[in-house]
Every structure is written in C-alpha cells, then in structure tokens.
Amino acid sequence: MKNILLMLGLIPMLMGCISRDQCNNKKPIEGIYKNTFVKQAENILIIKPDGTFEQVFTKDSLTKKNHGTWEFFKESCDVRFKNLIFLHDVPSEYIRDEIYKYPAIHRNDDILFIDHYDVSFYRKE
C-alpha cells in the first residue's frame, strides 16, 4: 500500500518535469511580459512569433513605444534583443553598462537580465 501511495505521489512530480524544458519554462518565449521598475506605470514587452518585439511604456498620459528583433537560443536559454531600450528612467550606470545589450535568459517563463532583476520582464499572461 505504501508503494502505491508513493508512486501516486511521484507521478505528478514526473509529469511536471516532462512538461518543462531545460530552462524550466512551461510556455514558449512568445508572449506578453511586464516590468515593474516604475510602480505607477505599465511597462510591457510583447515578444512576437515572427522574431520581432514591441515595447510599450505608459505612465499617466505619457506613452512611449519601441520595437526591434529577438533571437532565442534554446540550448543556453539566451535571448538576444536588437534595439531593446529603457523607456523609463533608470540609474545612469544601467545606461552606461548597456544592460539590454547583453543576452537575457528565458527561465521560469520570464525574461531575466542577471544582476539586474529590477529591469527584467515577467510573464503577464
């Protein structure tokens, strides 16, 4: 009886492992992500299946937009963005260090900039 209960407990855990990729993602990279660096604003990153992305930043009556391209390297979980920029105010060292020029990581269904999680994007859906 103990063995049967143990097996019943292990099956859901194994199914969870099977449905995730090596980067621990359940969903494909395409989707809508948000950044919460500016609490009173909406900062959205839309990653499209055609290899393009769109950024939309809205605060009060101000709206800023940007677009570019992306490429995902499934083996390493890296995402490289061409023309991803800060649409909100950030510390000057973030701009100086060109954080968005480095590859991001698509892990746990989020777009993460290691060492700078505050400017990362988290899945909205």
Side-chain angles (χ1 to χ4, degrees), residues 46-68:
I46 304 163
I47 299 180
K48 301 176 184 181
D50 66 357
T52 64
F53 71 83
E54 182 178 349
Q55 289 176 268
V56 181
F57 176 84
T58 306
K59 183 177 180 187
D60 302 324
S61 61
L62 173 70
T63 299
K64 297 179 185 178
K65 293 184 178 185
N66 182 50
H67 63 278

Side-chain angles (χ1 to χ4, degrees), residues 12 16 19 22 24 27-28 33 36-37 45 49 63 66 69 76 80 97 99 102 107 109 111 115 117 124:
S19 65
Q22 75 277 9
N24 207 32
K27 299 178 181 180
Y33 299 81
T36 58
F37 187 84
L45 172 65
T63 299
N66 182 50
T69 60
S76 64
R80 294 185 188 266
D97 295 344
I99 294 165
Y102 296 100
R107 186 176 305 284
D109 294 318
I111 305 296
D115 296 331
Y117 288 104
K124 186 174 179 180

